[in-house]
Amino acid sequence: MSQMNMIESIRSALDVMMDKDPTVVMMGEDIGHFGGVFRCTDGLQRKYGDHRVIDAPIAEGGIIGAAIGMGLNGLRPVPEIQFADYIYPGFDQIVSELARIRYRTCGEFFSPVTIRTPCGGGIRGGQTHSQSPEAIFAHVSGIVTVMPSNPYDAKGLLISAIESDDPVVFFEPKRIYNGPFDGDPEKPAKSWAAHPKGEVPEGHYTVPLGKAEVVREGNDLTIITYGTLVHVAEAAVEETGVDCEIVDIRTIAPLDVDTITASVNKTGRCVIAHEATRFGGFGAEIAARIQKDCFYNLEAPIRRIAGWDTPYPHAFEWQYFPGKKRLVAGIRDIMEIE
Amino acid sequence: MADKKSRLHIPQPTARPGDKPDFSYLDLSPAGAVDKPSIDSRTRDIEYLSSGLVRVLDDDHQAVGPWDPDLDSGKLQIALRWMVLNRVFDKRMWQIQRQGRISFYMEALGEEAVSVGQGMALRPGDMCFPSYRNQALYMYRGMSLVDMMCQCLSNTRDMCKGRQLPIMYHSAKANMFSISGNLATQYPHAVGWAMASAIKGEDHIAASWLGDGATAEADFHHAITFAAVYQAPVILNVVNNQWAISTFQGVAGGERRPFAARGLGLGIPGIRVDGNDFLAIYATTLWAADRARRGGGPTLIELVTYRGGAHSTSDDPTKYRPKDEWQDFPLGDPVERLKQHLISLGHWSEEQHEKLEAELTEEVTAAWKEAQQYGTMTEGPFLDPSTMFDDIYAEVPHHLESQRRRMTKVEGVNGGGSDS
């Protein structure tokens, strides 16, 4: 076991997989010689060569399109899209091609691509370096959509993603690359050193895709969340003193419905929290499932806490970000309903 | 708004319905006039290949010049057979669509030499990423007519299990990728496949096809950029058949420079070839394949041809171009030209040709008879609709199993919405 932040654990996952499987290749903007703008691939080109850690032209559609072709020829490509906000030029290749190759060829062809991409705000990135577009991808059948919330899960989920024969879009919440973030930008940044999920095995292990985790047990209210907001939720629960259960869904799609509904059936109250915009956000899908499967156990309406339905404004990111205050207010509101 | 003072140029074809066809815009070279360079030439030294027109068959049906691949008559007869088969098959499938027995079809009339010539110049281990008018590539590389018909019928033997529009075949065994309805998406796949081949140290190459219209797509530009940057062993083909449904090739940007020149700025050699000349197609493709195999990187080939028929069964070309335009196309009919060449060599005759057409027509009729036994759109056996939940992921996830159960048990096997 080692202490790792999320950058180190992601790099460790890539290192483990490149060492274990010679068909694993990476391609992306600035990922080779430079090691990536967030350093996730630092040192890997030196170790595995420039034919396996490939610096790419600035053309996300080309990176994803070429990665699909590599995957069709027996490689296991792990392209990086430098920011999730840049993924849209490759959207057609993901939606119309990557997601459907297995389906349209009845399994004769498939391309096991894992697209890594940093997402989320809170780093003063403005509207083109802060987005959380996971719901757009979760809406596409054939894609596995993942967002880890800590170094241990990030490594184990990334290894599962690379080993999976399904295409995966792997979102990395960049605000928590270096430490858990409770939503208060005024407080000094915490490192992963003190967090139990900052303890990461150096070798190969997996965290299963499609499995949520109950990160805090409780009886009175369930918070369903993922990514950065797992830590904000923990801080909010502490402040309210409410006996909350927190479910980190980890894989957005396919969704682990059983863990969610078991928790809400137990607590009877539910708050769903994500950083992405609310309208048509993934929280709506979760709410619909809960409504269907937990209706007779619900004691209060389901509440969504999310980013406002605006672009992510540079100067007002903390007013945009669904932080501790909004979560605390949401939890208290829902608990007050009799 | 539309006034004479506008400096905006809106491309217009030289002829619309009722006008006399006018192909004066096409730059032609006489057969044999374009030099054949060595495969290790630098792109800058062979730019002439992208502006000239490589032709082997002359107006007297003789093979002339440096690009003559010197194929024996047996091989030429084989080529003719595949081209005629393509035409006969298309004709029958078109009728079948008109009778309402399949929902859609696309014919390759006038473009048969592209798939057959290029198919014969590639090796079986090379990977093809075709467009929707490359049916002869599937045929040449081993897909049976019955399998192709069953795909078009979405019947119980359909390789796509009813998931794809007719003509969107695939075959892993034949190294033929699946056709997409979104144009040009296959181009970067071919480049990535070729990059992987080079990374693995194999000598297989990739080839892909798209039309003049689809060169406007971003994927075309992504593909040529990546191919050039990494010198991927790939042949990128632009089948310039002059028409993208109703818009002529000028709307895709073909008015000032040939499509073959699209890669020059990136250092990719371009070859503009007579797309109705089997011999020129075969020779240029072999040149590009040898170059790619020896580490010389990509080649962009523009095949100048003419779409003899409609874009698909869904459009009527008499609404947007002169009815008899094809007859005036200066590069003629590829089948007729190869046939006349063989006749001039003394290795073919009108009688043999008629016999071949009759044989192949019979073969197609027999295949259609067999294909229908696996089901038609109206008569069983039918595919099991519950298979629509398979192959979305490597393993069927819980929510799809549950939707499958709901569709089959609650909504009935004919399907319906699901919220389970």
Side-chain angles (χ1 to χ4, degrees), chain B residues 248-283:
Chain B
F248 85 116
Q249 49 93 27
V251 177
E255 282 184 310
R256 279 160 210 88
R257 295 207 73 186
F259 294 99
R262 286 287 191 275
L264 289 182
L266 290 158
I268 301 179
I271 308 179
R272 189 164 167 268
V273 61
D274 179 343
N276 289 359
D277 178 341
F278 167 81
L279 293 173
I281 293 168
Y282 180 88

Side-chain angles (χ1 to χ4, degrees), chain A residues 54-57 62-63 65-66 69-70 73 75 92-93 96-97 102-106 108-109 142-143 166 292, chain B residues 159-160 163 170 172 178 180 182 185 188-189 192-193 195 197 200 219 222 226 230 388 390-394 419:
Chain A
I54 304 169
D55 275 317
I63 291 169
M70 289 177 169
N73 197 359
L75 299 185
D92 183 45
Q93 282 289 347
S96 307
E97 301 295 319
R102 178 187 296 280
Y103 191 67
R104 75 186 204 217
T105 66
C106 300
E108 267 191 49
F109 291 97
I143 296 283
D166 290 322
K292 177 179 168 292
Chain B
M159 68 193 77
C160 303
R163 296 169 189 172
H170 66 265
S178 140
S180 177
N182 293 27
T185 50
H189 301 166
W193 195 98
M195 288 172 70
S197 177
K200 293 193 287 182
D219 278 329
H222 293 152
F226 279 63
Y230 303 110
M388 74 191 230
D390 293 329
D391 304 316
I392 295 165
Y393 297 94
D419 189 32

Side-chain angles (χ1 to χ4, degrees), chain B residues 260-400:
Chain B
R262 286 287 191 275
L264 289 182
L266 290 158
I268 301 179
I271 308 179
R272 189 164 167 268
V273 61
D274 179 343
N276 289 359
D277 178 341
F278 167 81
L279 293 173
I281 293 168
Y282 180 88
T284 48
T285 307
L286 199 59
W287 185 94
D290 286 346
R291 182 177 168 98
R293 247 183 268 285
R294 288 238 224 125
T299 301
L300 184 67
I301 299 179
E302 175 187 354
L303 301 110
V304 180
T305 180
Y306 184 85
R307 199 188 77 209
H311 165 70
S312 75
T313 48
S314 303
D315 67 301
D316 172 5
T318 64
K319 297 273 193 281
Y320 51 76
R321 66 182 190 186
K323 203 175 165 194
D324 51 355
E325 200 181 44
W326 189 27
Q327 268 123 59
D328 284 53
F329 185 62
L331 301 176
D333 172 343
V335 174
E336 190 61 21
R337 284 173 68 192
L338 184 57
K339 172 185 148 192
Q340 292 301 337
H341 175 57
L342 267 166
I343 289 174
S344 80
L345 293 175
H347 292 296
W348 200 243
S349 66
E350 292 289 354
E351 296 71 44
Q352 276 175 294
H353 197 81
E354 271 172 40
K355 200 170 148 234
L356 175 70
E357 281 179 334
E359 269 171 30
L360 294 175
T361 304
E362 216 166 283
E363 202 180 297
V364 168
T365 302
W368 176 242
K369 203 174 267 178
E370 186 187 341
Q372 291 176 96
Q373 290 170 13
Y374 300 104
T376 67
M377 281 163 64
T378 49
E379 279 169 54
F382 295 109
L383 277 169
D384 174 3
S386 75
T387 61
M388 74 191 230
F389 297 97
D390 293 329
D391 304 316
I392 295 165
Y393 297 94
E395 285 168 29
V396 184
H398 174 79
H399 72 286
L400 289 173

Side-chain angles (χ1 to χ4, degrees), chain B residues 397-411:
Chain B
H398 174 79
H399 72 286
L400 289 173
E401 274 306 353
S402 131
Q403 288 180 16
R404 171 165 28 216
R405 277 197 303 276
R406 187 166 168 85
M407 188 197 76
T408 53
K409 289 182 189 162
V410 182
E411 310 277 2

